[in-house]
């Protein structure tokens, strides 16, 4: 049951991320929130290397903004 909700959440994060990438480009700072939230979900699923990739991407977006 819980796994099903995680799978649904991941599907939604992927959709939101794809939509935001189309709207703002791959380096839009607007992506930071969804990247960070998606990374948290991946950590819950014990997919730490994937989470780290998203966290680094989010951090890079913030660095470019500064």
């Amino acid at each position: 049951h819980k796994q099903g909700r995680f799978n649904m959440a991941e599907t939604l994060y992927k959709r939101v991320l794809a939509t935001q990438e189309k709207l703002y480009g791959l380096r839009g700072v607007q992506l930071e929130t969804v990247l960070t939230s998606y990374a948290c979900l991946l950590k819950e699923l014990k997919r730490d290397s994937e989470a780290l990739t998203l966290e680094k991407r989010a951090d890079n977006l913030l660095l470019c903004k500064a």
Side-chain angles (χ1 to χ4, degrees):
H1 190 89
K2 189 175 182 180
Q3 185 63 38
R5 284 192 269 181
F6 282 139
N7 289 339
M8 184 184 300
E10 183 172 14
T11 298
L12 293 173
Y13 276 123
K14 286 179 180 179
R15 271 193 220 155
V16 170
L17 184 57
T19 300
Q20 287 190 350
E21 287 173 340
K22 286 178 186 173
L23 288 171
Y24 305 116
L26 295 176
R27 294 189 291 195
V29 289
Q30 298 87 344
L31 302 174
E32 187 271 334
T33 300
V34 72
L35 288 168
T36 302
S37 297
Y38 188 8
C40 288
L41 173 69
L42 292 173
K43 284 181 182 179
E44 284 288 320
L45 296 172
K46 308 294 185 221
R47 291 165 52 189
D48 294 335
S49 64
E50 292 172 80
L52 184 60
T53 299
L54 294 181
E55 288 174 334
K56 285 181 180 179
R57 186 174 168 199
D59 289 345
N60 286 335
L61 292 175
L62 293 177
L63 288 174
C64 291
K65 180 183 171 186

